[in-house]
Amino acid sequence: MRTMTLGSSTLEVPVMAVGCMRIHSLNKAEAERFVQTALKEGANFFDHADIYGNGTCEEIFSDAIHMNDDIREKIILQSKCGIRKGMFDFSKEHILESVDGSLKRLKTDYLDVLLLHRPDALMEPDDVAEAFDILESSGKVRHFGVSNQNPMQIQLLKKSVKQPLIANQLQLSITNANMISNGINVNMENDSAINRDGSVLDYCRLNDITIQPWSPFQYGFFEGVFLGNDKFPELNQNIDEIAKKYEVSNTTIAIAWLLRHPAHMQPVIGTMNAERLKDCCKASEVYLTREEWYDIYRAAGNVLP
């Protein structure tokens, strides 16, 4: 597995993360097989959140990987906090409590990365800063980042938070590519020119924040996958032709499309299918040409001015 540096840190990570949101759908044997497959493929970066399975996903993962000191040194753990039932919560108390809960469930003393999940409208940057300082000084969290935040929200946090924010987890796929499209359609009057996220892609590149695309196979907001979907005949034909050329699966090409972008993103792979995970990992060795990248972009219905 090819590696990269995560944001402005010195943390060397695989170019894709293994998302564990659905690991509670596996039985014990399946979960063990899945995490072992990931490790064999060099995909040792595991993404969690306290909300996934109401905490059970972190528990199942730590059991499946047979967490101990030796295993812990070989993996990179990221978790997220801030989502509560009916609200978002970036209060100092909730952040600290959430991290302690994740550490207990993951059977570890520290997280490599902690992300703040969905933006909290009632966030007090100084409150977050206090929580981060406590977590860093205690050794419970080594690096910090955000999820689903726009540039001004990140700037507001940085007003108080002294730790570098090294990652921003955002929804992005071939069919959900507005953050790319609005940069291509600058000064145009079509829908693709609408800047819905404050130029977050360019902002993250300028500030050495790694974008972690989530739901890289989804269209809409969890409406389904675009691969093999009759709603996207031109896109699937195009991807299948390119996959044939490289002798890989369509899954591989969908991830290779994200990895080809010069922002050096780290896609979060949510599949719980070990074979499909292997296909995703192969994308780290596929480098699409400029023509192939744009062909896929246009085949998804994205427009060029």
Side-chain angles (χ1 to χ4, degrees):
M1 170 74 70
R2 185 160 50 87
T3 61
M4 58 181 279
T5 302
L6 194 65
S8 59
S9 75
T10 58
L11 192 60
E12 196 72 10
V13 301
V15 294
M16 61 192 70
V18 180
C20 295
M21 185 175 74
R22 300 182 180 89
I23 198 169
H24 63 311
S25 66
L26 305 181
N27 62 38
K28 183 177 180 180
E30 291 170 336
E32 290 180 348
R33 191 179 312 117
F34 178 79
V35 295
Q36 288 305 315
T37 297
L39 293 175
K40 288 177 182 177
E41 294 295 319
N44 67 336
F45 187 109
F46 297 95
D47 174 72
H48 293 272
D50 59 355
I51 196 69
Y52 294 163
N54 292 319
T56 61
C57 290
E58 291 176 326
E59 292 177 345
I60 291 169
F61 171 83
S62 62
D63 288 341
I65 205 167
H66 303 290
M67 187 71 78
N68 57 42
D69 291 343
D70 182 55
I71 290 292
R72 184 64 186 92
E73 291 181 2
K74 298 176 182 177
I75 64 175
I76 302 166
L77 289 179
Q78 172 174 281
S79 197
K80 301 182 287 294
C81 70
I83 297 180
R84 294 175 58 191
K85 185 177 181 180
M87 69 177 76
F88 303 127
D89 190 348
F90 287 175
S91 66
K92 171 185 171 182
E93 293 75 19
H94 182 69
I95 293 172
L96 296 178
E97 181 181 351
S98 294
V99 170
D100 283 342
S102 288
L103 295 179
K104 182 179 180 180
R105 292 187 292 269
L106 289 167
K107 299 177 183 176
T108 183
D109 295 327
Y110 68 96
L111 295 175
D112 293 285
V113 187
L114 173 70
L115 304 184
L116 298 178
H117 222 151
R118 291 278 174 183
D120 174 17
L122 303 182
M123 178 193 73
E124 296 283 359
D126 289 346
D127 219 21
V128 175
E130 285 185 34
F132 281 12
D133 286 346
I134 291 171
L135 292 170
E136 182 181 48
S137 63
S138 66
K140 291 180 179 180
V141 177
R142 296 185 174 180
H143 304 280
F144 300 85
V146 296
S147 180
N148 305 299
Q149 294 204 17
N150 67 35
M152 288 301 98
Q153 291 168 326
I154 296 173
Q155 282 295 110
L156 180 60
L157 263 178
K158 289 171 71 173
K159 180 181 178 182
S160 300
V161 171
K162 68 181 182 183
Q163 293 83 3
L165 301 175
I166 65 172
N168 189 7
Q169 203 167 108
L170 299 160
Q171 184 176 17
L172 177 63
S173 70
I174 296 169
T175 54
N176 284 47
N178 180 258
M179 73 174 69
I180 294 173
S181 296
N182 68 56
I184 291 175
N185 288 272
V186 169
N187 200 38
M188 302 302 294
E189 296 185 359
N190 54 36
D191 287 345
S192 296
I194 298 172
N195 188 340
R196 295 181 169 89
D197 50 38
S199 299
V200 69
L201 173 58
D202 294 328
Y203 175 86
C204 288
R205 293 182 72 182
L206 286 166
N207 289 274
D208 295 322
I209 298 172
T210 295
I211 291 176
Q212 297 178 329
W214 56 267
S215 290
F217 302 105
Q218 291 277 333
Y219 68 93
F221 187 71
F222 292 110
E223 292 179 39
V225 298
F226 56 79
L227 291 177
N229 193 317
D230 291 341
K231 291 183 178 180
F232 303 96
E234 183 180 352
L235 174 61
N236 278 285
Q237 180 180 350
N238 188 280
I239 289 176
D240 289 346
E241 289 174 357
I242 295 173
K244 184 177 180 180
K245 170 188 170 182
Y246 287 96
E247 299 182 332
V248 295
S249 72
N250 57 358
T251 294
T252 303
I253 297 302
I255 298 301
W257 187 85
L258 291 170
L259 295 179
R260 175 62 174 84
H261 196 280
H264 303 294
M265 304 178 194
Q266 185 193 34
V268 180
I269 309 303
T271 184
M272 289 292 108
N273 182 297
E275 293 305 312
R276 193 158 184 241
L277 177 63
K278 290 180 182 179
D279 285 341
C280 291
C281 292
K282 291 177 183 177
S284 71
E285 306 305 323
V286 175
Y287 190 81
L288 299 178
T289 67
R290 183 180 297 268
E291 291 78 11
E292 289 166 344
W293 189 92
Y294 272 103
D295 284 347
I296 291 172
Y297 175 81
R298 289 185 290 104
N302 299 305
V303 299
L304 297 180

